[in-house]
Amino acid sequence: VALGLYFPRKEYLENVYIDEPAGMPLLRIHALRDSQEEGVHFHLCQNLIISRARSHENNWFQIREKTGLLYLSKSLDREDFNMLSVGNWMPLSKVMLYVFLSSHPFQEKECDSATRTTVFLSLINATAPACSSLTARQLCFTEMDLSFHIKENKPPGTFHQLQLPSVHHLCQNLSISYKLLAAEGVPFRYNENTTGVRVTQSLDREERERYELIAKCTVREGFREMQVEVPFLVNVLDEDDSPPFLPNGTDTADAVVEFNRKEGTVLSTLTVYDADTTPIYPLESSRKKYTGTIITDDPWISETFRVEHIFDEIHFSPNGSQVRGTRHEY
């Protein structure tokens, strides 16, 4: 069975401070299903990659297999920081972890699944700042862009949680609430109780390729209130599910050849549209998808004439939103 589960983000970023307690939640990772019946299991590869060069056994970070919550399993002290930073004079060290997905519980040391996402952790050589010193932007959102990729024709599911687990854990005296601002009829819902954002129906890239929403956060502390808004973007990933079409319905073109035509003269053209895919590079791979053929038994015709194939990206506008596609000309 092909593994259909996938991550709606290619990477996650989070800060980790010295002496944060074991059990401290850091971030929640989500997965979306290919079919409604699939189970979801997360697994952390037990190696930290430091500065993209050497790796170190991971003694500090764990993930909950069923929920995707990444947390500190052991407090990171200064000694650990010095060991994990390239030189202990650095105020910050970046380490990298791989999180894997499976539709069944993971076996020991199973770290070769193709479905993985990368978590970049910035280890900061300081204790966590006091909640009162953080801006509304820091309390509400991480440094990551809120940008997601959702495949078309897949079942609904929760793909992001707005509340930051670490801030929720540390700053309990603050009231932080969210809203998702979107046009009517957009297929995304925000759940106030879980702060999760859900895609409510399967999407169709040929109908709409990109959704632009806004996540709004309100922080209340006593009588003080601060608000911050950030873009929340969803890109719909294509599945090759729509056949190419011909603008006037005919897939052949007749050519009349007169005498004394110069080499390179265009005798006939045929246009094919494909709303499903956009030109991919290298260009040869786009070219191989479609071929134009002269149908003849005469070897002279085959030697004397050829079909040239050029293509470019165009935009279709179903329901007033722009969707990319390809125009092929033969």
Side-chain angles (χ1 to χ4, degrees):
V1 182
L3 182 67
L5 297 169
Y6 69 99
F7 291 103
R9 293 189 68 95
K10 292 197 173 57
E11 56 187 47
Y12 291 81
L13 314 171
E14 192 48 77
N15 295 333
V16 180
Y17 294 90
I18 283 178
D19 296 336
E20 287 185 305
M24 171 82 178
L26 297 173
L27 66 97
R28 191 181 289 278
I29 292 171
H30 288 83
L32 288 170
R33 293 176 168 89
D34 194 58
S35 64
Q36 205 63 64
E37 307 76 56
E38 274 178 320
V40 180
H41 298 267
F42 297 91
H43 175 67
L44 201 57
C45 213
Q46 283 308 310
N47 263 351
L48 288 175
I49 294 147
I50 307 164
S51 310
R52 297 186 180 275
R54 54 204 182 87
S55 65
H56 192 288
E57 194 180 341
N58 168 25
N59 301 315
W60 300 272
F61 306 102
Q62 280 300 331
I63 196 162
R64 298 213 186 283
E65 187 181 342
K66 292 286 184 67
T67 63
L69 182 72
L70 186 77
Y71 64 96
L72 268 176
S73 54
K74 173 181 180 293
S75 184
L76 184 85
D77 60 25
R78 274 187 209 282
E79 211 174 295
D80 297 330
F81 178 86
N82 293 346
M83 184 169 56
L84 292 173
S85 61
V86 185
N88 56 13
W89 49 270
M90 294 180 75
L92 178 148
S93 176
K94 267 204 179 345
V95 300
M96 196 161 89
L97 284 166
Y98 292 124
V99 176
F100 293 87
L101 262 184
S102 176
S103 51
H104 57 81
F106 274 87
Q107 306 308 312
E108 220 20 63
K109 296 195 170 146
E110 192 177 355
C111 274
D112 53 359
S113 147
T115 312
R116 72 177 192 192
T117 190
T118 310
V119 178
F120 292 97
L121 298 171
S122 295
L123 310 183
I124 296 167
N125 192 4
T127 53
C131 296
S132 56
S133 70
L134 296 172
T135 64
R137 176 80 174 74
Q138 291 167 314
L139 289 164
C140 293
F141 304 107
T142 64
E143 291 153 36
M144 296 187 283
D145 291 340
L146 293 185
S147 176
F148 306 91
H149 300 274
I150 296 180
K151 293 182 181 178
E152 65 171 341
N153 307 323
K154 302 297 178 206
T158 299
F159 61 95
H160 183 62
Q161 183 185 357
L162 283 168
Q163 173 189 286
L164 305 182
S166 53
V167 170
H168 182 65
H169 187 79
L170 292 172
C171 308
Q172 292 176 355
N173 298 343
L174 297 177
S175 153
I176 302 173
S177 59
Y178 295 89
K179 269 192 176 143
L180 197 60
L181 310 179
E184 271 301 303
V186 163
F188 303 102
R189 287 288 166 276
Y190 170 65
N191 180 328
E192 266 181 41
N193 301 323
T194 63
T195 77
V197 182
R198 180 177 174 80
V199 54
T200 57
Q201 64 190 58
S202 78
L203 305 178
D204 182 355
R205 193 203 70 94
E206 287 73 64
E207 286 293 316
R208 185 153 175 186
E209 192 170 13
R210 186 175 163 89
Y211 294 87
E212 299 183 11
L213 301 87
I214 288 172
K216 178 180 178 178
C217 174
T218 305
V219 181
R220 290 184 189 84
E221 189 183 9
F223 297 112
R224 209 159 64 104
E225 185 176 287
M226 298 176 283
Q227 291 188 335
V228 59
E229 294 183 1
V230 298
F232 189 103
L233 307 174
V234 177
N235 294 290
V236 185
L237 293 181
D238 193 56
E239 204 175 46
D240 212 348
D241 63 336
S242 304
F245 62 94
L246 299 132
N248 56 4
T250 175
D251 64 352
T252 53
D254 297 328
V256 176
V257 188
E258 295 172 354
F259 284 106
N260 296 333
R261 296 289 92 182
K262 284 195 171 68
E263 188 181 336
T265 302
V266 176
L267 302 168
S268 182
T269 58
L270 184 66
T271 303
V272 181
Y273 289 109
D274 190 344
D276 202 41
T277 54
T278 56
I280 48 177
Y281 298 90
L283 290 176
E284 275 319 299
S285 38
S286 270
R287 219 169 245 123
K288 279 179 194 150
K289 249 186 120 173
Y290 304 104
T291 53
T293 312
I294 299 172
I295 301 167
T296 179
D297 299 329
D298 186 335
W300 178 79
I301 290 179
S302 304
E303 286 162 21
T304 314
F305 302 97
R306 73 167 188 268
V307 178
E308 278 204 353
H309 176 196
I310 57 169
F311 51 89
D312 56 358
E313 184 172 295
I314 55 165
H315 288 93
F316 299 95
S317 296
N319 310 327
S321 80
Q322 282 209 333
V323 171
R324 292 172 305 147
T326 311
R327 175 175 51 211
H328 298 266
E329 295 207 65
Y330 296 93

